[in-house]
Amino acid sequence: MKSIQLSELNQHYGEEVVVSGFVDNIRNLQWVQFLILRDDTGRVQITIEKSDDNNQSMVELVNSLTLESTVKITGILNENPKVKLNGMEIIPSVIEVTSKSDLELPFSYKDLTGVNLDTRLDYRFIDLRSERNSLIFKIQSSLVQYMREYLYQHDFMEIHTPKLIGAASESGSDVFEVKYFDRLAYLAQSPQFYKQMAMASGFNRIFEVGPVFRAENSNTSRHATEYTCFDVEFSYIDSYYDVMNLESEMLTYALEKVNQIYGEKIKEMYGEELVVPSLPFPVMKLSDVYQELESRYGYKVDDSEKDDLTTEAERLCYQLAKDKFQHEFLFVTHYPASKRAFYHMRDDDGVLQGYDLLWRGVEITTGAQREHRYEEIRKNAKEKGLEKDVEFYLEFFKYGCPPHGGFGLGIDRLTMLLLGISSIKEAQFLFRGPNRIEP
Ligand code: AMO
């Protein structure tokens, strides 16, 4: 017989079942042993009567069993209202130890207070046994599932672009070099060029969810050197407003679904209220944001920092979005063109046709209409001194390329903000940063 998951047990009362999991707890009383078995979906009590002669070998086995070992158990599942844990118990006939755990864990994942985050990350596989921490990834999986679902419903298809690339892409400074036989290659900072190549290939609507690599030596709560980006690109748009609309609709759709499934649990486990956003999301120009941050909150930005939002300004934008629009999201537009990627389109007045999206005071997305006209994009690349490096990319625009746009959304940051987790280190399955590349 195959093991069933513990969440399925309630369909099998009175039957012989086989279950597998970790030994969560053992209570060894005078007449009876209680073993609590745990898998990813729940827990169940196993009850072993010591007085039953047939049970002697099982009783001995449980006497020497260590917590967190894994076992496979065959037994009869009984409904029993006296059992506090789900009103059921299994009366076992066979217990097989499938892996034995050391007696001493590096720390107790059941109470993480006082356990250093670095120690937790060193033993992430134990840290993730806690309900709170494993739930982060169930919710993340659900969030990504519904973002994908929205896109499939709108005729998008998922593609997979290479992460090993021959030329440093967006900007040379933040890339990791790798030895590639007798030459150098780089790890992709973004699928940017390839998602645009898909547009030149005549793929109307695509997305990709995959790893991206940033050689940024920044130890902040929101930066990782490898993270997962949710990238979208689509053709025949009229302006970057089409991109902002698609993104806000996708996020609203996914957050509504996640709220239905996990809203209560998120509140209980992380103390965070999931507010399903209303459409449309508010939009502000960067210069207006600065003006209002000053007039409302006395926050004055130095001229040298006016090209982008500082971390503090981003943080205050949460307050601004709430006070001005009763919203948690804020699109910011009209960044100075000179400071943004060369592939963002500029209008005839030189105004950048792109945006950042902030949620709860943190940037989660950059998006834009792209420059798809060959002469223009070549000129933009030249201005940045990138013409030679991106020669292969410029070719994409030479033989017909639809007007298009898209965005990149950091999944790890999105998860962190959704659950009110203070650091991206906890929102990544395994964090990668300047000082952490293991386990
Ligand atoms: P950008 O560089 O802004 O845009 O990245 C997109 C989004 O990725 C997230 N992000 C990060 N998350 C964790 N650690 C980091 N070091 C990090 N850097 C960025 C943020 C950010 O908004 N090619 C463009 C996207 C596009 O225009 O389609 C790009 O990569 O959430």
Side-chain angles (χ1 to χ4, degrees):
M1 265 167 87
K2 283 246 166 271
S3 297
I4 57 170
Q5 299 211 101
L6 299 185
S7 60
E8 297 163 35
L9 277 175
N10 57 10
Q11 300 157 29
H12 295 279
Y13 286 123
E15 294 173 23
E16 184 172 75
V17 291
V18 179
V19 287
S20 291
F22 289 89
V23 177
D24 193 68
N25 202 2
I26 300 170
R27 274 170 62 218
N28 215 332
L29 307 183
Q30 191 176 4
W31 304 111
V32 67
Q33 290 172 325
F34 297 114
L35 187 159
I36 305 298
L37 186 74
R38 177 189 85 244
D39 77 4
D40 199 22
T41 68
R43 293 184 306 151
V44 67
Q45 175 177 305
I46 317 293
T47 309
I48 306 149
E49 292 289 345
K50 286 183 170 176
S51 55
D52 188 333
D53 286 345
N54 295 325
N55 284 351
Q56 290 324 300
S57 60
M58 275 195 293
V59 171
E60 271 172 42
L61 184 147
V62 172
N63 278 339
S64 66
L65 195 58
T66 47
L67 296 182
E68 299 301 315
S69 293
T70 65
V71 290
K72 181 175 178 184
I73 294 174
T74 308
I76 302 291
L77 175 71
N78 288 336
E79 204 165 2
N80 182 350
K82 282 198 225 136
V83 178
K84 280 207 196 102
L85 187 63
N86 303 327
M88 62 169 78
E89 63 185 344
I90 293 174
I91 310 299
S93 51
V94 184
I95 300 181
E96 185 193 334
V97 179
T98 48
S99 127
K100 210 164 162 35
S101 166
D102 262 11
L103 198 54
E104 284 287 331
L105 294 187
F107 54 85
S108 166
Y109 66 85
K110 288 182 182 171
D111 180 10
L112 290 168
T113 39
V115 185
N116 180 290
L117 183 56
D118 267 319
T119 310
R120 287 174 47 199
L121 295 183
D122 287 342
Y123 291 96
R124 186 62 160 157
F125 58 97
I126 291 176
D127 188 51
L128 290 176
R129 288 184 196 179
S130 88
E131 194 189 349
R132 176 193 177 276
N133 293 343
S134 66
L135 186 64
I136 295 171
F137 299 94
K138 289 182 186 154
I139 296 171
Q140 184 181 71
S141 170
S142 177
L143 183 64
V144 174
Q145 178 194 343
Y146 289 111
M147 298 200 313
R148 274 200 169 98
E149 186 172 282
Y150 175 87
L151 293 178
Y152 283 132
Q153 284 171 4
H154 290 80
D155 269 349
F156 280 76
M157 72 171 172
E158 185 165 8
I159 63 167
H160 305 281
T161 66
K163 305 304 157 204
L164 275 174
I165 55 174
S169 52
E170 302 212 7
S171 67
S173 56
D174 295 341
V175 289
F176 287 111
E177 291 177 354
V178 288
K179 197 168 158 313
Y180 194 73
F181 306 109
D182 54 359
R183 57 161 290 184
L184 276 184
Y186 306 90
L187 294 179
Q189 291 164 294
S190 159
Q192 185 63 39
F193 290 174
Y194 299 119
K195 55 181 186 165
Q196 290 192 255
M197 190 190 101
M199 303 297 101
S201 312
F203 294 8
N204 273 2
R205 301 173 180 196
I206 61 96
F207 71 99
E208 174 167 19
V209 191
V212 296
F213 304 88
R214 303 277 167 111
E216 294 170 43
N217 199 352
S218 37
N219 293 291
T220 76
S221 60
R222 60 178 69 177
H223 285 93
T225 49
E226 176 178 351
Y227 66 95
T228 305
C229 208
F230 196 105
D231 270 279
V232 173
E233 205 70 24
F234 58 117
S235 278
Y236 304 113
I237 63 168
D238 294 319
S239 87
Y240 66 106
Y241 267 79
D242 292 342
V243 183
M244 296 199 293
N245 287 342
L246 180 95
E247 180 171 17
S248 42
E249 280 170 23
M250 179 190 81
L251 280 170
T252 303
Y253 178 87
L255 288 174
E256 190 156 16
K257 294 280 188 186
V258 169
N259 192 39
Q260 282 163 13
I261 306 168
Y262 290 111
E264 283 304 314
K265 203 76 191 166
I266 290 174
K267 202 174 340 171
E268 175 195 323
M269 204 56 107
Y270 311 97
E272 203 66 33
E273 186 90 37
L274 201 174
V275 181
V276 178
S278 58
L279 289 165
F281 290 7
V283 187
M284 285 183 80
K285 292 181 185 166
L286 182 65
S287 55
D288 293 341
V289 168
Y290 278 134
Q291 222 167 54
E292 295 228 15
L293 291 187
E294 188 168 351
S295 64
R296 284 174 186 259
Y297 315 114
Y299 177 81
K300 191 160 168 38
V301 209
D302 194 73
D303 278 344
S304 64
E305 290 180 332
K306 278 220 163 115
D307 300 332
D308 201 355
L309 287 167
T310 60
T311 307
E312 177 60 7
E314 277 189 11
R315 201 182 59 75
L316 279 172
C317 277
Y318 185 22
Q319 198 59 44
L320 179 60
K322 283 192 293 189
D323 291 347
K324 193 174 164 74
F325 305 104
Q326 293 74 54
H327 214 281
E328 294 186 344
F329 288 84
L330 184 65
F331 280 119
V332 180
T333 63
H334 292 69
Y335 284 86
S338 59
K339 299 291 172 189
R340 303 292 273 196
F342 73 96
Y343 52 79
H344 287 200
M345 186 178 267
R346 289 95 164 109
D347 71 5
D348 293 343
D349 300 323
V351 175
L352 188 92
Q353 305 296 291
Y355 67 89
D356 273 2
L357 176 60
L358 310 184
W359 185 26
R360 297 179 168 173
V362 177
E363 177 207 315
I364 55 167
T365 291
T366 298
Q369 173 160 12
R370 320 301 185 184
E371 182 50 76
H372 64 284
R373 296 162 298 179
Y374 178 67
E375 294 304 333
E376 297 294 323
I377 186 77
R378 178 169 285 282
K379 192 176 97 218
N380 290 356
K382 195 171 178 184
E383 267 170 33
K384 299 258 178 186
L386 289 169
E387 203 184 1
K388 283 254 159 349
D389 290 343
V390 301
E391 196 57 53
F392 76 99
Y393 166 77
L394 298 177
E395 288 284 303
F396 302 159
F397 304 93
K398 223 168 159 180
Y399 306 98
C401 181
H404 62 276
F407 61 87
L409 173 60
I411 292 304
D412 320 72
R413 283 194 191 174
L414 194 64
T415 308
M416 171 179 97
L417 295 163
L418 172 67
L419 304 180
I421 294 171
S422 59
S423 168
I424 197 167
K425 293 181 181 177
E426 286 197 81
Q428 288 198 312
F429 177 70
L430 261 185
F431 172 67
R432 286 288 179 258
N435 300 316
R436 182 167 284 278
I437 193 154
E438 273 152 352

